[in-house]
Amino acid sequence: MQEKTFWQNVLLVLQKKIPKPSFDTFFRKIEILEKNPKEIILTCPSIFAKEFLEKKFKKEILETTKQIDPKIEKIKLIISSSKNHKNQFFKRSFNNGIFSFSKSGLSPKYSFSNFVISSFNLLAGNCAKGIVENPGKFYNPFFVYSPVGLGKTHLLQAIGNEIFRKKTKKVKYISCPELTNEIVSSLRQKNTEEVAKEYKNFEILIVDDVEYLEGKEKTQDVFFQIFESLVHYQKQIVLSSDRPPKALEIEKRLKSRFEGGMIADISFPSYEERLAILEKKLEEKEGTLPYEILEFIAKNIKKNIRELEGALNFALVFFLQEKSIEKTKKKVKDHFEKKEKKPSVEEVIKKIAQFYKLQKEDILSSSRKKEISQARQVVAFFLRKKLNLSLPAIGIKLGNKDHTSIGYAIKKVEEKIEKDVNFQKEIEEIKKDFLDF
Ligand code: ADP
Ligand code: MG
């Protein structure tokens, strides 16, 4: 088995065991460097990630690896900058004395070469390429929007990587929740000026998922200043969101800035396009599958590209074990049909109330008792993440609460998941009830 496929298989099993926040933050960035008869060598992006993984998950990784190859006795984790080809990349940027790749927030795995551009994302794809050629010139800001899993992050990252590689400019990619956290803590520590200055220094600023600005007035204010300064100096800004700017509930002046450049949406790929994406992914993973299975996946998985890739990974592992086309098809279908079912708002409230041994009425009340308000925050979090409701819509469902307080509630939950392992487990428990999301 190829190294990459082997590690993909390990990851698939690990994904079921590891809390999603940790998995998303740390595991997705691990790459396999070498597989020896008794040992595998993995790379991770930072010392922090390495220490975190060693402390918390090394045993889990080893056990899971053994499940797939019982001969493995040892896992070695190294920091990815010591990988040879990347080393050159890092050094080059250091020698230029400008900016290091590791601080850019970019992940080298997203590029244009593994991104399919076709009619469903043609405008976005072409603008992105134009930006790489002439950053800051024509499409500024560049605003991409689509529902989840259709390639926004991939495209934004590809722009950043390509500009960094070709032009050695100071590129910064950051997700909006991260940026918000940074700004909020700078407000607390009273060093907002410094943080803003740092951002005004970038030549390309890429902010993913700007819908997270909703309900965060102070952050919007600081972001507006950064934005104005960058555009003034013809530095490129790239933004993504799940909605077009006009549907975002943010300050008027910021909204009109977002609307002032180029806006492109990404729609859903057709059957032929889904097939092309699957072929590309298969090539990237260096895996093999009968074409009939690819066609089957392309025909049945329409929700988004992330799920398409999920189905492909699923089929790769299953087919490897079973070697049966029919069984694999059935397995893929069953798995994704189960996932399709979305719970209703009422079900979410009921389940979470039950979990915390409360009544539905408690959640909808305006009680500020700690256990009630925390459960309410968790409900808001799930309605946002699982059902994709807007902040105002969640406010209405939760007994006419203000959308700002809903935004705050969701942020609280996100912060707590980061900090509190027990809480993280609680959330995982609740998630299991709703299958995964
Ligand atoms: P979003 O940010 O819109 O939620 P992502 O960029 O995370 O979506 O994409 C989800 C998955 O689908 C990623 O693994 C990404 O590599 C893949 N993907 C999305 N669009 C394409 C594309 N056009 N070609 C190849 N892979 C794609
Ligand atoms: Mg994304």
Side-chain angles (χ1 to χ4, degrees):
M1 205 189 307
Q2 297 280 357
E3 282 166 12
K4 261 194 184 171
T5 319
F6 173 80
W7 179 244
Q8 283 294 342
N9 293 349
V10 177
L11 274 185
L12 276 174
V13 183
L14 273 172
Q15 188 163 16
K16 300 205 184 92
K17 300 185 182 169
I18 309 283
K20 187 166 186 299
S22 302
F23 190 84
D24 284 347
T25 316
F26 297 104
F27 283 79
R28 289 195 196 284
K29 293 179 187 152
I30 301 179
E31 284 178 34
I32 186 158
L33 184 65
E34 256 178 67
K35 179 171 181 289
N36 301 318
K38 292 185 177 175
E39 176 194 63
I40 58 168
I41 304 177
L42 303 170
T43 67
C44 55
S46 65
I47 297 180
F48 176 69
K50 175 171 149 42
E51 286 177 350
F52 180 84
L53 287 164
E54 281 185 331
K55 220 184 276 161
K56 289 192 70 175
F57 293 114
K58 203 164 179 184
K59 204 168 131 237
E60 205 94 81
I61 300 175
L62 180 61
E63 277 170 8
T64 310
T65 310
K66 275 174 183 264
Q67 263 174 276
I68 301 201
D69 181 349
K71 289 194 288 302
I72 300 290
E73 290 168 3
K74 205 171 159 210
I75 306 283
K76 198 169 162 190
L77 269 163
I78 61 171
I79 301 160
S80 51
S81 54
S82 48
K83 231 169 149 181
N84 280 344
H85 70 279
K86 276 197 198 155
N87 220 2
Q88 285 169 3
F89 192 39
F90 283 104
K91 271 199 196 125
R92 186 173 59 118
S93 49
F94 279 128
N95 285 345
N96 282 341
I98 306 177
F99 185 61
S100 81
F101 185 76
S102 56
K103 287 191 192 139
S104 68
L106 293 169
S107 156
K109 74 174 176 190
Y110 295 114
S111 66
F112 280 104
S113 66
N114 61 8
F115 190 76
V116 174
I117 297 180
S118 183
S119 61
F120 74 102
N121 62 3
L122 195 60
L123 179 62
N126 282 342
C127 291
K129 289 189 164 172
I131 287 170
V132 171
E133 293 312 315
N134 288 298
K137 287 271 160 56
F138 305 122
Y139 311 121
N140 208 11
F142 176 45
F143 191 105
V144 187
Y145 72 92
S146 80
V148 289
L150 290 175
K152 298 181 293 297
T153 298
H154 191 138
L155 187 63
L156 265 53
Q157 285 264 350
I159 295 174
N161 276 314
E162 195 81 355
I163 295 183
F164 187 85
R165 202 165 26 240
K166 280 194 173 160
K167 319 229 171 200
T168 352
K169 290 206 181 258
K170 286 188 206 168
V171 181
K172 179 70 178 179
Y173 166 93
I174 189 161
S175 74
C176 191
E178 271 178 274
L179 179 64
T180 305
N181 275 343
E182 239 180 82
I183 293 178
V184 169
S185 71
S186 81
L187 290 164
R188 219 178 288 135
Q189 291 163 17
K190 306 207 184 333
N191 64 347
T192 313
E193 284 296 309
E194 272 163 58
V195 172
K197 201 169 148 202
E198 187 193 326
Y199 277 88
K200 287 174 187 172
N201 249 324
F202 294 119
E203 291 165 290
I204 320 289
L205 179 63
I206 303 171
V207 184
D208 207 351
D209 298 318
V210 294
E211 69 271 15
Y212 278 90
L213 287 171
E214 287 186 333
K216 290 156 194 150
E217 281 83 17
K218 284 255 167 58
T219 303
Q220 288 178 31
D221 193 42
V222 178
F223 186 60
F224 182 77
Q225 293 163 30
I226 297 171
F227 188 101
E228 288 288 273
S229 164
L230 290 175
V231 171
H232 179 77
Y233 291 105
Q234 290 206 344
K235 294 171 174 177
Q236 180 71 47
I237 296 178
V238 180
L239 308 165
S240 85
S241 164
D242 61 355
R243 275 157 286 155
K246 69 170 186 306
L248 289 175
E249 311 230 354
I250 53 171
E251 267 184 63
K252 236 184 176 166
R253 54 176 188 169
L254 198 53
K255 194 187 282 199
S256 79
R257 295 299 186 282
F258 287 1
E259 284 173 327
M262 180 71 195
I263 302 175
D265 74 326
I266 300 180
S267 59
F268 292 89
S270 66
Y271 168 73
E272 288 79 10
E273 291 169 330
R274 294 198 293 277
L275 202 52
I277 293 169
L278 286 170
E279 285 177 49
K280 185 121 207 160
K281 295 278 172 203
L282 198 59
E283 189 188 301
E284 200 187 341
K285 292 178 202 297
E286 301 175 34
T288 42
L289 267 185
Y291 202 68
E292 198 184 326
I293 295 184
L294 287 196
E295 288 175 324
F296 181 82
I297 296 173
K299 205 172 286 164
N300 287 283
I301 310 289
K302 301 177 192 159
K303 193 169 148 210
N304 63 41
I305 301 174
R306 185 170 299 143
E307 289 231 326
L308 203 61
E309 195 172 353
L312 179 67
N313 289 335
F314 192 83
L316 272 168
V317 175
F318 197 79
F319 186 73
L320 204 71
Q321 291 167 358
E322 297 290 329
K323 306 265 181 302
S324 152
I325 295 182
E326 287 314 311
K327 275 191 193 164
T328 305
K329 282 184 184 173
K330 183 165 184 321
K331 199 80 186 166
V332 168
K333 198 157 186 214
D334 288 351
H335 181 69
F336 285 87
E337 269 172 6
K338 244 198 295 175
K339 272 186 70 167
E340 279 305 291
K341 283 196 207 123
K342 270 195 179 180
S344 67
V345 174
E346 283 64 35
E347 275 172 318
V348 171
I349 298 176
K350 201 173 126 204
K351 281 227 167 105
I352 295 174
Q354 260 170 10
F355 184 86
Y356 288 108
K357 307 212 166 27
L358 296 169
Q359 300 300 318
K360 186 181 164 196
E361 291 69 30
D362 295 326
I363 305 279
L364 302 182
S365 74
S366 39
S367 162
R368 286 173 180 268
K369 262 199 202 156
K370 190 157 177 266
E371 62 270 27
I372 295 180
S373 71
Q374 177 161 323
R376 193 181 298 125
Q377 288 172 354
V378 172
V379 173
F381 173 81
F382 273 87
L383 291 180
R384 179 84 190 122
K385 304 286 158 171
K386 178 76 185 167
L387 299 189
N388 246 328
L389 296 188
S390 71
L391 300 182
I394 297 172
I396 293 167
K397 299 282 184 195
L398 290 184
N400 283 325
K401 308 273 182 320
D402 180 55
H403 72 85
T404 339
S405 61
I406 300 295
Y408 173 81
I410 294 168
K411 201 181 81 197
K412 271 265 165 274
V413 173
E414 286 169 344
E415 280 174 6
K416 204 159 177 214
I417 289 175
E418 289 293 315
K419 285 188 210 133
D420 180 343
V421 184
N422 288 329
F423 185 68
Q424 200 181 78
K425 286 194 187 128
E426 252 172 58
I427 297 289
E428 286 303 316
E429 278 305 307
I430 298 172
K431 262 190 212 175
K432 272 189 209 143
D433 265 356
F434 298 127
L435 297 160
D436 79 324
F437 74 91

